[in-house]
Amino acid sequence: MSPSLVANADLSPVTSGTVKGRVASVYSELQTSRIDHALPLPSVLKNPFKIVDGPASSAAGNPDEIAKLFPNLFGQPSALLVPNGADAVRSDEKLKIGVVLSGGQAPGGHNVISGIYDYLQDRAKGSVLYGFRGGPAGIMKCKYVELTSDYIYPYRNQGGFDMICSGRDKIETPEQFKQATETAVKLDLDGLVVIGGDDSNTNACLLAEHFRSKNLKTLVMGCPKTIDGDLKCKEVPASFGFDTACKIYAEMIGNVMIDARSTGKYYHFVRLMGRAASHITLECALQTHPNITIIGEEVAAKKQTLKNVTDYIVDIICKRAELGYNYGVILIPEGLIDFIPEVQQLIAELNEILAHEVVDEGGQWKKKLTKQSLQLFEFLPQAIQDQLMLERDPHGNVQVAKIETEKMLIQMVETELENRKQEGVNKGQFKGQSHFFGYEGRCGLPTNFDATYCYALGYGAGALLHSGKTGLISSVGNLAAPVEDWTVSGTALTALMDVERRHGKFKPVIKKAMVELDGAPFKKFASMQDEWALNNRYISPGPIQFTGPTSGDVNHTLLLELGAQV
Amino acid sequence: MSPSLVANADLSPVTSGTVKGRVASVYSELQTSRIDHALPLPSVLKNPFKIVDGPASSAAGNPDEIAKLFPNLFGQPSALLVPNGADAVRSDEKLKIGVVLSGGQAPGGHNVISGIYDYLQDRAKGSVLYGFRGGPAGIMKCKYVELTSDYIYPYRNQGGFDMICSGRDKIETPEQFKQATETAVKLDLDGLVVIGGDDSNTNACLLAEHFRSKNLKTLVMGCPKTIDGDLKCKEVPASFGFDTACKIYAEMIGNVMIDARSTGKYYHFVRLMGRAASHITLECALQTHPNITIIGEEVAAKKQTLKNVTDYIVDIICKRAELGYNYGVILIPEGLIDFIPEVQQLIAELNEILAHEVVDEGGQWKKKLTKQSLQLFEFLPQAIQDQLMLERDPHGNVQVAKIETEKMLIQMVETELENRKQEGVNKGQFKGQSHFFGYEGRCGLPTNFDATYCYALGYGAGALLHSGKTGLISSVGNLAAPVEDWTVSGTALTALMDVERRHGKFKPVIKKAMVELDGAPFKKFASMQDEWALNNRYISPGPIQFTGPTSGDVNHTLLLELGAQV
């Protein structure tokens, strides 16, 4: 493949103003080439199917409370699609289906919608698909657009959520449920697909329960979305977007590793998205082999303090200096400090003090802190102290999310290295360089895996709605096999739920899937991390390829969880 | 291409410990696949050639001074390789050649070395290639490695400079020239290839002059390297690495654009590498169509102040808010503040004051500032004021490079928007999000263009040394044509030079190529920027592809400079 003059991107407007939706967009050559990328379907979706119900389901915890919260849905079985001689669904039925994107973007969302649309075209011709705009608020305000073939076309296999956009509103209050019901009635909806994370799927299930309790015909189906990878379970082996996002981050990390090795003088501290769970950080570590990786769940399990984490990093840096390596790459999950109890304690105390006390310049206010919290506060770098004191949300609370953990760690590592230098223990050089890889990964072009997986999730959701199912989450399994052999089912959302006590009431929640310390991905990492720490086993995965080598790769986490060797 | 289980990266050690060089490296599947990627050569390099000398050359400025500085080299013609029935070089000659990488990494450096090596294998069998380790210091300390076929193999088409690493030392003092001469004599060097930027190529020419003045046989050849794209001229149409780096940044910018459009609530301020010139920012703008792009050269030409730049951004943000867009993407060159004279003035004054005055907390010291500088200082956000006062280099100077320009602009824009809100002029919402894309781009896998271009540069450098040439820079031209038809020549380094007066002496310099405001790339940008500002013409180029669509693309800057339509 030799460089040559190729017609460039900015003169190839696929849609410019002529197609509704991505109005006035211009497409790059690669985006254009992806639009017509044909997606394989699991064979069960290519042929007539019927639904086989599994055994009655329970809940992830507190089944009695879940049963009370979902009297109409609790216990319903999972629904598996299996081949059938003749279609069990009526192909002359015309459905009215709504779809909504909820929460942060994840690559592949557009393909879920394409999948639903194509199912309706293929199996229930004459059906209508409405896209609610701007997330759940679109349902409540009945703000929607009819999704046609032309409308959807330019978004096929494309990143982003801009076809109908997303939002973070929730349908929570009785008034909001009433609004949602009005929309369902007004549009005569047979079904609604909610594409979102754990909260959004919980919300989907509440909506399904509500509609059923009102004897509404509107069925509700969930879809597992989040780049963080923390919405998954046995039946739902992956949330979409994780594969693409991790590969984008891994490309950048791999480049930074080659840079570190070439210059030999920087420690790159890379913060990665993932506030609640450290799946992204773990996956990126498995793909790239950094010298140090901090996994929040491990920090929590070992009850480590910030000082412990700092010492762990500094110990490795010193050992590496002895080996002649004054460089390295360190991965940190964005949610790290949420995993450290002493930090949570400090923040709670600060919130209390800031709400009620005058913060004097002399520092008298610090006497209100417990001894442990004061010690931690004084251990923090000045810039972080300032940030904790100054940047607060509208409720006056300290904004943990604003803390740049990677910069904080660099400063703490610098201080500790300086201490050791004065003790004569450390003779190395240290230059920290901070990075945050976040937004770059949420809206990339979906990998072949995410494109195909999402299409099957959407197509399957259509099939389940058509079969009269509600309160399920679209589940595509057997992902280690060829697409042909993937299974398609719906899992009872109530089966994923537990309750949490909030304001004296039980609230249903789908528990976030955390990194399991006895799971295959973490165990693989744990068995390698000492080797990676001192030897430089960097791997640079390079940019995502859509054809040729690596274009068929699947992320390590999924493969390891499925028992495959990687 | 369907997702399937593919053998994953971490079990495919190409070199693990068995091949010298990238000792104990493990390769990703994509890296491995790139190693054997066959590179086309310009046809003139595939066949017997002879050298045709051009007319006598002059200098870029002050030819009389350049003539005095380079008495042995000044005026020498450029050397063009042309096909010849029989090779004009002696294939039985065995050469001893050294190569060195100088300065910051740029994708493709390893391919220059591969090109030199392959030339010697193909045309002067039995020759030896030495790689000086760690940059010019390796020459002075005679620290080198013999580059063999096995040694080079795993680095073919790979990013980074880690084959022999690089360094930023210069060969400047008489003592250092003596050391370099000793190395050349000790290794009996017939030639030396210096792969570097403007300074390194100037240094290469001084070395060529020195060797010739000492009647040493060692010839010296330069090679144009820098991701910043600021080493180029008519004869040297591009510096390598620019193509790859810009495409990596453009991938990230494109993703952030889709994110901005999907969420509808962030202004992403993206700082890009390029301290001296804004080529990278301009190229990324041409590839992605951001709403606002600041080009340093334009700011300088229009003698804009920081306030002007802020107002320009705020004006567009307000207009966009009226259109309902509370989001956008803004590109900023890393060197922006170097282009603003008032900032330079302020920094000069601060350096002076900080060196001689006590900086009192009450701020009495500020009275030493000129009125204009005081005004600017007070206009700067607090965090930037602190940075200017606190972070200083070992000479006590303010560290301009440490200023996070994108964060500074976000704060200034926030303040100005607040002012306008209070005047009732602005009713939009503004949330700034900062990014710096730098290290991620310097060490990526070279694009097909950079891989091929570098290979030709190296192969050509070998041919020129073999032909007895010195003091030239390897020049590959006609780049808009198929590789087959690319031209190969050497350009007299003295022809690129001018002088600068430093410490009362004339110093030769290769002037950095700045963004030309009447050049085709800037004119194209200027004709589009108003359109991009208010309409969202975002293009997301996606990840670099090595096969299939876009794998043959060349950057817009080069194409436009060559007169092509893009």
Side-chain angles (χ1 to χ4, degrees):
Chain A
M1 197 58 43
S2 70
S4 64
L5 287 180
V6 175
N8 265 282
D10 54 355
L11 289 182
S12 49
V14 173
T15 56
S16 37
T18 54
V19 177
K20 272 188 285 181
R22 242 174 193 181
V23 180
S25 284
V26 273
Y27 272 52
S28 70
E29 194 187 337
L30 191 63
Q31 285 178 302
T32 307
S33 80
R34 290 297 291 167
I35 290 181
D36 294 316
H37 169 72
L39 294 169
L41 270 179
S43 68
V44 70
L45 290 177
K46 287 192 284 192
N47 300 299
F49 65 86
K50 63 175 180 182
I51 299 276
V52 174
D53 284 338
S57 67
S58 180
N62 293 295
D64 294 348
E65 298 301 330
I66 297 294
K68 275 187 237 163
L69 289 162
F70 298 94
N72 290 287
L73 292 180
F74 179 76
Q76 69 167 335
S78 291
L80 179 70
L81 270 71
V82 295
N84 195 29
D87 237 332
V89 291
R90 285 177 47 198
S91 65
D92 61 342
E93 209 174 359
K94 291 183 177 50
L95 301 172
K96 290 187 182 124
I97 306 289
V99 61
V100 68
L101 293 163
S102 184
Q105 293 90 267
H110 289 147
N111 273 25
V112 178
I113 299 176
S114 310
I116 302 167
Y117 182 81
D118 288 357
Y119 175 84
L120 296 175
Q121 288 295 105
D122 293 347
R123 303 293 181 93
K125 213 157 189 71
S127 294
V128 179
L129 182 61
Y130 300 110
F132 290 104
R133 300 187 74 100
I139 301 176
M140 296 186 276
K141 296 179 194 157
C142 200
K143 223 176 114 192
Y144 66 93
V145 61
E146 188 183 331
L147 299 174
T148 61
S149 175
D150 280 356
Y151 198 106
I152 286 174
Y153 177 71
Y155 296 95
R156 288 182 183 264
N157 300 310
Q158 306 296 316
F161 271 8
D162 49 323
M163 188 204 288
I164 52 175
C165 292
S166 180
R168 295 191 179 273
D169 304 271
K170 284 183 193 165
I171 301 171
E172 284 182 312
T173 65
E175 173 61 23
Q176 288 170 327
F177 275 100
K178 190 162 159 263
Q179 289 171 338
T181 306
E182 281 166 10
T183 295
V185 171
K186 183 176 166 198
L187 294 181
D188 190 30
L189 285 189
D190 296 292
L192 171 67
V193 182
V194 177
I195 304 170
D198 49 339
D199 275 353
S200 308
N201 275 285
T202 303
N203 218 213
C205 196
L206 287 167
L207 214 49
E209 176 70 26
H210 184 78
F211 288 163
R212 178 147 292 182
S213 74
K214 300 283 176 199
N215 283 318
L216 235 66
K217 68 168 178 175
T218 314
L219 311 166
V220 185
M221 198 60 51
C223 254
K225 172 232 70 167
T226 163
I227 64 162
D228 292 351
D230 55 10
L231 171 56
K232 63 181 169 187
C233 58
K234 196 170 132 276
E235 298 80 7
V236 183
S239 58
F240 75 79
F242 176 75
D243 189 74
T244 307
C246 288
K247 285 177 182 158
I248 292 173
Y249 300 142
E251 176 197 355
M252 298 299 122
I253 295 164
N255 288 357
V256 159
M257 283 172 163
I258 306 267
D259 201 275
R261 187 187 352 230
S262 294
T263 51
K265 63 179 180 187
Y266 293 113
Y267 269 93
H268 294 274
F269 285 62
V270 180
R271 174 166 50 114
L272 292 163
M273 273 201 170
R275 182 149 295 280
S278 303
H279 297 289
I280 289 177
T281 302
L282 179 58
E283 172 63 25
C284 288
L286 291 168
Q287 284 190 33
T288 64
H289 304 186
N291 301 108
I292 300 173
T293 305
I294 309 293
I295 299 295
E297 288 85 343
E298 187 185 16
V299 169
K302 294 185 174 169
K303 298 194 170 53
Q304 293 183 325
T305 63
L306 214 42
K307 177 86 171 73
N308 295 148
V309 174
T310 307
D311 282 342
Y312 171 70
I313 296 173
V314 170
D315 287 347
I316 292 176
I317 290 174
C318 289
K319 278 189 207 151
R320 289 179 59 80
E322 281 170 30
L323 297 169
Y325 303 134
N326 287 306
Y327 64 89
V329 175
I330 300 172
L331 305 189
I332 304 149
E334 150 173 68
L336 174 62
I337 54 179
D338 293 329
F339 285 101
I340 303 179
E342 58 163 2
V343 180
Q344 293 313 306
Q345 174 64 27
L346 169 63
I347 287 167
E349 290 178 29
L350 286 177
N351 283 339
E352 192 63 23
I353 292 171
L354 292 169
H356 301 108
E357 308 283 332
V358 176
V359 175
D360 59 308
E361 289 214 359
Q364 287 297 314
W365 66 270
K366 286 186 200 168
K367 292 189 179 158
K368 301 272 174 188
L369 288 172
T370 60
K371 195 181 150 199
Q372 191 207 26
S373 286
L374 177 61
Q375 215 167 27
L376 173 60
F377 188 78
E378 307 263 298
F379 177 64
L380 293 173
Q382 184 65 45
I384 303 295
Q385 290 184 4
D386 292 348
Q387 214 167 10
L388 286 175
M389 301 305 291
L390 296 174
E391 304 221 17
R392 275 172 280 157
D393 70 13
H395 309 288
N397 290 324
V398 166
Q399 286 194 280
V400 185
K402 286 236 172 165
I403 296 177
E404 295 173 303
T405 323
E406 72 287 11
K407 291 191 178 168
M408 180 180 79
L409 280 177
I410 288 176
Q411 291 182 45
M412 293 192 305
V413 163
E414 271 171 358
T415 307
E416 177 59 24
L417 282 168
E418 198 45 50
N419 292 344
R420 298 200 190 181
K421 203 160 245 173
Q422 296 193 345
E423 293 163 13
V425 190
N426 159 43
K427 292 183 178 68
Q429 298 295 318
F430 175 81
K431 265 191 196 173
Q433 182 64 46
S434 66
H435 304 264
F436 172 48
F437 298 149
Y439 298 90
E440 302 88 331
R442 302 198 312 182
C443 284
L445 269 173
T447 56
N448 284 323
F449 173 77
D450 268 332
T452 307
Y453 179 56
C454 287
Y455 190 65
L457 284 173
Y459 209 96
L464 289 161
L465 287 174
H466 197 186
S467 307
K469 296 294 176 185
T470 191
L472 306 180
I473 183 167
S474 182
S475 314
V476 173
N478 200 24
L479 296 174
V483 179
E484 185 83 358
D485 301 328
W486 285 1
T487 59
V488 179
S489 61
T491 305
L493 279 164
T494 46
L496 311 185
M497 288 189 194
D498 197 344
V499 288
E500 273 182 11
R501 191 112 190 143
R502 287 186 202 158
H503 305 295
K505 276 188 189 169
F506 281 118
K507 286 265 183 190
V509 287
I510 296 176
K511 275 270 168 78
K512 282 187 194 293
M514 309 301 281
V515 169
E516 288 177 17
L517 302 189
D518 56 355
F522 183 81
K523 277 163 80 176
K524 171 92 189 267
F525 158 74
S527 73
M528 309 288 279
Q529 64 173 328
D530 291 344
E531 164 79 3
W532 298 345
L534 301 183
N535 304 302
N536 302 314
R537 300 294 188 184
Y538 301 152
I539 288 199
S540 183
I544 291 169
Q545 300 296 294
F546 295 105
T547 57
T550 78
S551 60
D553 283 3
V554 179
N555 64 80
H556 295 225
T557 300
L558 178 60
L559 292 177
L560 288 163
E561 286 178 344
L562 295 174
Q565 293 295 318
V566 297
Chain B
M1 195 59 41
S2 72
S4 64
L5 288 180
V6 174
N8 265 283
D10 54 354
L11 289 183
S12 48
V14 171
T15 58
S16 36
T18 55
V19 177
K20 273 187 286 183
R22 243 175 193 183
V23 180
S25 283
V26 272
Y27 272 52
S28 70
E29 193 188 339
L30 190 63
Q31 284 178 303
T32 307
S33 80
R34 291 298 290 166
I35 291 181
D36 293 317
H37 169 72
L39 295 168
L41 269 178
S43 67
V44 70
L45 290 177
K46 287 192 283 192
N47 300 299
F49 65 85
K50 63 176 181 183
I51 299 276
V52 173
D53 284 338
S57 67
S58 181
N62 293 294
D64 294 349
E65 297 301 332
I66 296 296
K68 276 187 237 166
L69 289 162
F70 298 93
N72 290 288
L73 293 179
F74 179 76
Q76 70 167 334
S78 292
L80 180 70
L81 271 70
V82 296
N84 194 30
D87 237 333
V89 290
R90 286 177 45 198
S91 64
D92 60 342
E93 210 173 355
K94 292 184 176 53
L95 302 171
K96 291 186 181 122
I97 306 290
V99 62
V100 69
L101 293 163
S102 185
Q105 293 91 268
H110 289 147
N111 274 26
V112 178
I113 299 175
S114 310
I116 301 168
Y117 182 81
D118 288 356
Y119 175 84
L120 295 175
Q121 288 295 104
D122 293 347
R123 302 296 181 92
K125 212 160 191 70
S127 294
V128 179
L129 182 61
Y130 299 112
F132 290 105
R133 300 188 74 98
I139 302 176
M140 296 187 276
K141 297 180 193 160
C142 200
K143 222 176 114 194
Y144 65 93
V145 61
E146 188 183 329
L147 299 173
T148 60
S149 175
D150 281 355
Y151 198 106
I152 287 174
Y153 177 70
Y155 297 94
R156 288 181 184 266
N157 300 311
Q158 306 297 314
F161 271 9
D162 49 322
M163 187 203 290
I164 52 175
C165 292
S166 180
R168 296 192 179 273
D169 304 271
K170 284 183 193 167
I171 301 172
E172 284 182 313
T173 65
E175 174 60 22
Q176 290 170 324
F177 275 100
K178 193 164 157 263
Q179 290 172 336
T181 306
E182 281 165 10
T183 294
V185 171
K186 184 176 166 199
L187 295 181
D188 191 30
L189 286 187
D190 296 293
L192 172 67
V193 182
V194 177
I195 304 170
D198 51 338
D199 274 355
S200 307
N201 276 285
T202 304
N203 217 214
C205 196
L206 287 165
L207 214 49
E209 176 69 26
H210 184 78
F211 289 161
R212 179 148 291 181
S213 74
K214 300 286 176 194
N215 282 318
L216 237 66
K217 68 168 179 177
T218 314
L219 312 166
V220 186
M221 198 60 50
C223 254
K225 172 233 71 169
T226 163
I227 63 161
D228 292 352
D230 55 10
L231 170 55
K232 62 181 170 186
C233 59
K234 197 170 130 273
E235 297 81 7
V236 182
S239 57
F240 75 79
F242 176 75
D243 189 74
T244 307
C246 288
K247 285 177 183 159
I248 292 173
Y249 300 141
E251 176 197 354
M252 297 300 120
I253 296 164
N255 287 357
V256 159
M257 283 170 162
I258 305 270
D259 202 273
R261 194 199 330 241
S262 294
T263 50
K265 62 181 181 187
Y266 292 113
Y267 268 93
H268 294 274
F269 285 63
V270 180
R271 173 167 51 115
L272 292 162
M273 273 203 169
R275 182 148 296 281
S278 303
H279 296 289
I280 289 178
T281 302
L282 178 57
E283 172 64 25
C284 289
L286 291 168
Q287 284 190 34
T288 64
H289 305 185
N291 302 107
I292 300 174
T293 305
I294 310 293
I295 299 295
E297 288 85 341
E298 187 185 16
V299 168
K302 293 185 174 169
K303 297 192 171 56
Q304 291 182 326
T305 63
L306 214 42
K307 177 85 170 73
N308 295 149
V309 173
T310 307
D311 283 342
Y312 171 69
I313 296 173
V314 170
D315 287 348
I316 291 176
I317 290 175
C318 289
K319 276 188 207 149
R320 288 179 59 80
E322 281 168 32
L323 296 169
Y325 304 134
N326 287 308
Y327 64 88
V329 175
I330 299 173
L331 305 189
I332 305 149
E334 166 176 45
L336 174 62
I337 55 180
D338 293 329
F339 285 100
I340 303 179
E342 57 163 2
V343 179
Q344 294 312 305
Q345 175 65 28
L346 168 64
I347 287 166
E349 290 178 30
L350 285 177
N351 283 338
E352 193 65 23
I353 292 170
L354 293 169
H356 301 107
E357 309 282 333
V358 176
V359 175
D360 59 306
E361 288 213 1
Q364 288 297 312
W365 66 270
K366 287 187 199 166
K367 292 189 178 156
K368 301 273 173 185
L369 288 171
T370 60
K371 193 180 150 200
Q372 192 206 22
S373 287
L374 178 61
Q375 213 166 27
L376 174 59
F377 188 79
E378 308 263 297
F379 176 63
L380 293 173
Q382 184 66 42
I384 303 294
Q385 291 184 5
D386 292 347
Q387 214 168 13
L388 287 174
M389 302 305 290
L390 296 175
E391 304 219 17
R392 276 174 277 159
D393 71 13
H395 309 288
N397 289 323
V398 165
Q399 286 193 279
V400 185
K402 287 235 172 166
I403 296 176
E404 295 174 302
T405 323
E406 73 287 13
K407 291 191 178 169
M408 179 180 80
L409 280 176
I410 287 175
Q411 292 182 43
M412 292 191 308
V413 163
E414 270 172 358
T415 308
E416 178 59 24
L417 281 169
E418 198 45 50
N419 293 342
R420 296 200 191 180
K421 203 161 246 175
Q422 298 194 342
E423 291 163 15
V425 189
N426 159 42
K427 292 183 178 67
Q429 297 297 317
F430 175 81
K431 265 192 198 174
Q433 182 64 45
S434 66
H435 304 263
F436 171 48
F437 297 149
Y439 298 90
E440 302 88 332
R442 302 196 314 179
C443 283
L445 270 173
T447 55
N448 284 321
F449 173 77
D450 268 331
T452 308
Y453 179 57
C454 287
Y455 191 65
L457 284 172
Y459 209 96
L464 291 161
L465 288 173
H466 198 185
S467 308
K469 296 294 176 185
T470 191
L472 306 180
I473 183 166
S474 183
S475 314
V476 173
N478 200 26
L479 296 175
V483 179
E484 186 81 358
D485 300 328
W486 285 2
T487 59
V488 179
S489 61
T491 305
L493 278 163
T494 47
L496 312 184
M497 288 188 194
D498 197 344
V499 288
E500 273 182 10
R501 193 115 188 140
R502 287 187 202 157
H503 306 296
K505 277 187 186 169
F506 282 118
K507 287 265 183 191
V509 287
I510 297 176
K511 276 271 170 74
K512 282 188 194 293
M514 308 302 282
V515 169
E516 287 176 20
L517 302 188
D518 56 356
F522 183 82
K523 278 163 77 177
K524 171 92 189 268
F525 158 75
S527 73
M528 310 288 279
Q529 63 175 328
D530 292 343
E531 164 79 3
W532 298 344
L534 301 184
N535 304 304
N536 302 315
R537 298 294 188 183
Y538 301 153
I539 288 198
S540 184
I544 291 168
Q545 299 296 295
F546 295 106
T547 57
T550 77
S551 62
D553 282 5
V554 179
N555 63 81
H556 294 225
T557 301
L558 179 60
L559 292 177
L560 288 162
E561 285 178 345
L562 294 175
Q565 294 294 318
V566 296

